[in-house]
Amino acid sequence: VAVGSFLQLIEPCNEFTWLNYAVPVEPLGTSLQVAEVIVELRSVFEESERTLRFEFMESLCPKLPNILEQAGLNLEARHPMLICTPADFQPHQAAGVEIKLLTVDDPEVLCSYLEVRNRCFYGITDEAPTAQEIIELCQDIQNSSSRCALAYFNGIPAGVGATMPMMGVCELAGVATLPEHRRLGVAKTLCSFLIKDHFEAGGDLVWLAAGNAIAKSTYESIGFRCVDSRLNYIDSIVINSKKLSERFL
């Protein structure tokens, strides 16, 4: 939903912060105009039981951080933005690592992918994937919005990752390795597989947001280079805290 110079993106079924945010899509206008829009956005997010959050490229909106801070938002994260082209790509294959691209007709691999993803990102260790999770994953695969892959180390599910292609460009995202399989080249091999898959399909650019310095170094070792920073700002006013706490009582 467009609100002023921003596009409000809210995931109706999931309150995780990285799925709910606003992005600038038009010239910002004056500081006063932006401040007024922030008030409106805060209200909209509150109605959806979400905390107001922004994501944007630092170089494209150099004045926005100061405006957001004056409005009561805090810098949540600064992620290096990296890109890779076919000319830059340096694929890696680690010993003992095998990669499988997910298809809707292999339920065992689908479940293993979700189990590794849920453990890495959500800390879920003792629950099987839900039927709804499997349905949503199959829908993403069928409509080609995601190309998902599962990495095995010595035959054991060890890591996950995905690309989201669009018109020759794709984001590499959701890359994670289980703690017991880190520092073994699982992520580098998995990313190499997905990048090669994209380029072989005719794509010409892969981009990503690195979560930390270690991840940035890993991506740079297979050909990525840093071009910008993505800033995440989150409201210091934690809205709906009462409603959210009641859900867990």
Side-chain angles (χ1 to χ4, degrees):
V1 177
V3 181
S5 302
F6 298 86
L7 193 64
Q8 162 206 309
L9 304 169
I10 290 182
E11 166 56 56
C13 301
N14 197 322
E15 65 191 30
F16 289 114
T17 58
W18 56 87
L19 297 178
N20 298 275
Y21 54 94
V23 294
V25 294
E26 300 286 348
L28 294 180
T30 66
S31 297
L32 179 59
Q33 289 172 327
V34 176
E36 292 173 347
V37 171
I38 292 172
V39 172
E40 184 177 354
L41 279 167
R42 183 176 276 138
S43 176
V44 172
F45 271 71
E46 182 174 3
E47 290 174 1
S48 301
E49 299 187 11
R50 302 289 185 269
T51 299
L52 178 60
R53 184 171 172 274
F54 291 84
E55 291 190 0
F56 58 95
M57 299 299 176
E58 185 173 26
S59 66
L60 298 179
C61 304
K63 298 181 181 179
L64 186 54
N66 184 55
I67 298 173
L68 294 176
E69 289 167 8
Q70 290 182 354
L73 287 97
N74 297 323
L75 180 64
E76 180 186 26
R78 179 190 299 272
H79 293 126
M81 300 297 296
L82 299 94
I83 63 171
C84 181
T85 67
D88 301 323
F89 184 38
Q90 301 172 38
H92 178 83
Q93 175 63 57
V97 180
E98 178 190 1
I99 311 298
K100 287 188 179 180
L101 191 67
L102 269 62
T103 61
V104 296
D105 57 359
D106 196 336
E108 181 178 349
V109 175
L110 293 173
C111 287
S112 293
Y113 176 93
L114 289 170
E115 287 171 356
V116 174
R117 184 203 68 178
N118 290 349
R119 181 179 166 191
C120 288
F121 289 106
Y122 310 137
I124 299 174
T125 60
D126 56 357
E127 297 179 17
T130 65
Q132 184 60 34
E133 286 179 311
I134 295 173
I135 290 172
E136 291 175 357
L137 180 58
C138 287
Q139 289 174 340
D140 287 342
I141 294 171
Q142 288 177 317
N143 64 26
S144 300
S145 63
S146 296
R147 299 277 286 177
C148 305
L150 174 66
Y152 294 81
F153 183 75
N154 291 337
I156 300 173
V160 295
T163 53
M164 288 163 279
M166 181 180 292
M167 300 175 64
V169 176
C170 79
E171 178 184 8
L172 177 62
V175 178
T177 306
L178 292 173
E180 60 268 28
H181 297 299
R182 291 173 186 166
R183 307 291 189 272
L184 298 171
V186 173
K188 289 174 67 173
T189 304
L190 175 62
C191 291
S192 295
F193 177 93
L194 287 167
I195 295 166
K196 182 181 179 182
D197 174 72
H198 178 66
F199 289 155
E200 288 183 343
D204 52 21
L205 183 71
V206 180
W207 70 273
L208 60 84
N212 52 49
I214 294 176
K216 178 175 178 287
S217 177
T218 298
Y219 294 127
E220 288 174 332
S221 71
I222 56 174
F224 281 88
R225 54 190 171 89
C226 190
V227 294
D228 205 341
S229 293
R230 185 182 70 190
L231 303 184
N232 295 355
Y233 271 82
I234 192 166
D235 207 342
S236 59
I237 303 172
V238 181
I239 60 174
N240 295 305
S241 57
K242 182 175 184 295
K243 293 181 181 179
L244 291 175
S245 64
E246 287 173 349
R247 297 180 185 179
F248 300 97
L249 293 179

